[in-house]
Amino acid sequence: QVQLVESGGGSVQAGGSLRLSCAASKFTYNLYCWAWFRQAPGKEREGVASINNFGLTRSADSVKGRFTLSQDKAKNTLYLEMNSLKPEDSGMYYCAAENINTRSCPLLRYDYNTWGQGTQVTVSS
């Protein structure tokens, strides 16, 4: 089974930027949808952005215009570029993948069965 490993989290001030990476342990041609989720303490895990193997992306309204999702298929790596960070963006960020043959990959956690261990993002005001 493929393993996902996130990296790139850290602590930044509001307005700052971070770039998260999610590396897959092996070629993942059958994992059609990839996504980033985040979870703040005491809150539900929420979808941030998703992308399919054709590069079609989808983002939560709260991050549109600030977060950009991309993938490097040669490196089996997914990236989340986060700009203009706000304190409410703080939380544990998780990478997920699933074989969902759809044009618009979902942002619901229950649609994904392959998860990374998470990377912490803290944005201070």
Side-chain angles (χ1 to χ4, degrees), residues 8-48:
S11 296
V12 297
Q13 290 190 330
S17 299
L18 283 172
R19 188 193 194 201
L20 305 184
S21 299
C22 170
S25 58
K26 61 182 180 180
F27 180 58
T28 52
Y29 68 94
N30 63 327
L31 291 177
Y32 188 79
C33 280
W34 299 77
W36 283 98
F37 289 77
R38 66 186 181 190
Q39 187 168 18
K43 294 190 176 181
E44 291 290 320
R45 189 173 299 187
E46 62 173 354
V48 175

Side-chain angles (χ1 to χ4, degrees), residues 93-108:
Y93 280 69
Y94 299 91
C95 175
E98 188 56 66
N99 182 18
I100 307 170
N101 190 359
T102 179
R103 181 177 177 84
S104 178
C105 291
L107 290 175
L108 296 175

Side-chain angles (χ1 to χ4, degrees), residues 34-105:
W34 299 77
W36 283 98
F37 289 77
R38 66 186 181 190
Q39 187 168 18
K43 294 190 176 181
E44 291 290 320
R45 189 173 299 187
E46 62 173 354
V48 175
S50 65
I51 187 170
N52 68 13
N53 274 350
F54 291 102
L56 294 177
T57 60
R58 178 180 177 182
S59 301
D61 289 341
S62 59
V63 306
K64 283 181 179 177
R66 300 188 299 121
F67 290 13
T68 302
L69 191 59
S70 62
Q71 60 186 177
D72 185 334
K73 294 182 180 180
K75 296 182 178 179
N76 291 337
T77 301
L78 181 72
Y79 301 101
L80 182 67
E81 186 76 36
M82 305 186 296
N83 298 312
S84 302
L85 282 163
K86 304 175 181 179
E88 52 263 42
D89 293 320
S90 297
M92 186 70 78
Y93 280 69
Y94 299 91
C95 175
E98 188 56 66
N99 182 18
I100 307 170
N101 190 359
T102 179
R103 181 177 177 84
S104 178
C105 291

Side-chain angles (χ1 to χ4, degrees), residues 107-120:
L107 290 175
L108 296 175
R109 62 175 296 185
Y110 301 107
D111 288 317
Y112 294 85
N113 292 305
T114 301
W115 292 86
Q117 83 291 346
T119 185
Q120 180 68 39

